[in-house]
Amino acid sequence: MHAWILSGILVTCVFAGACHAPPQVLAPRSLPDTVSPLVIRTEFGHEREWKKICEMVRAPVQAPGNEFYAHVEFLDDVIFRGLSKDALVALVPQNYKHTVLFVVDGTTVGQPEFPILVVDLHAEKGRSFRAIPAAIQSIENNLSIANMDFFEFADAVERDGVFRGFPRR
C-alpha cells in the first residue's frame, strides 16, 4: 500500500504493482481550514486571468489616509475544478470559522470586470451575488469583524447583479 497527502486528503493506492504517481482524486471531502476566507478557483482554462484576478484582489484599496487589504487566502487546486456553488457549500465543515466564500469560476474569467461569486456560509447559507475584485476587500473586512451583514452587500448589487461598491455621498 502506498499513501500520499493530496490537497490535505490522505490518498491510498493498493494493488499488485507499484504506485508511481498519486491516483486521480474525484472530489475533496471538505474545504481546508484556513486563517482567512478563501478565494477558490474552480475554472482552470484561463491562467492569465486567474493571476490578474489574484493581483486585483491583493491590491490595496485607498481611503483617505489609509490603505485597506482583503485578508483572504487563494486556493488554486484542480481538485475543485468545475465544482458548482452548491457543491462547494456542501464541502463546508460544521465548525468552519468563515462566513463567506469567494469563487473564481467560468463566469468570473469570462467577463471583462471579473465578477467573483460571493457565497454566504452563515445566515442565508448558499445565497450569492457577484462582486468586482476591488470590492472584495470591503466585503471581507466588514464581514470578518461583523461590521456589516452579507445581505447588506447582496442587496446593494447593481441591476446586472454585480456589487461594485456602495454609492458615495
Side-chain angles (χ1 to χ4, degrees), residues 129-146:
F129 64 93
R130 292 197 175 267
I132 61 170
I136 299 304
Q137 169 275 323
S138 174
I139 297 165
E140 181 279 321
N141 287 191
N142 283 290
L143 293 179
S144 69
I145 62 170

Side-chain angles (χ1 to χ4, degrees), residues 68-136:
F68 295 95
Y69 295 87
H71 301 284
V72 297
E73 295 183 43
F74 296 89
L75 183 56
D76 182 1
D77 189 330
V78 296
I79 198 167
F80 296 97
R81 177 192 310 263
L83 292 185
S84 68
K85 173 187 73 167
D86 292 336
L88 291 168
V89 170
L91 295 175
V92 176
Q94 253 186 345
N95 60 344
Y96 200 66
K97 60 187 167 195
H98 306 298
T99 62
V100 67
L101 178 65
F102 303 101
V103 182
V104 175
D105 59 7
T107 300
T108 305
V109 299
Q111 295 185 16
E113 287 187 294
F114 303 125
I116 296 168
L117 185 64
V118 183
V119 184
D120 187 7
L121 301 178
H122 184 60
E124 296 179 71
K125 196 170 188 175
R127 183 177 182 190
S128 63
F129 64 93
R130 292 197 175 267
I132 61 170
I136 299 304

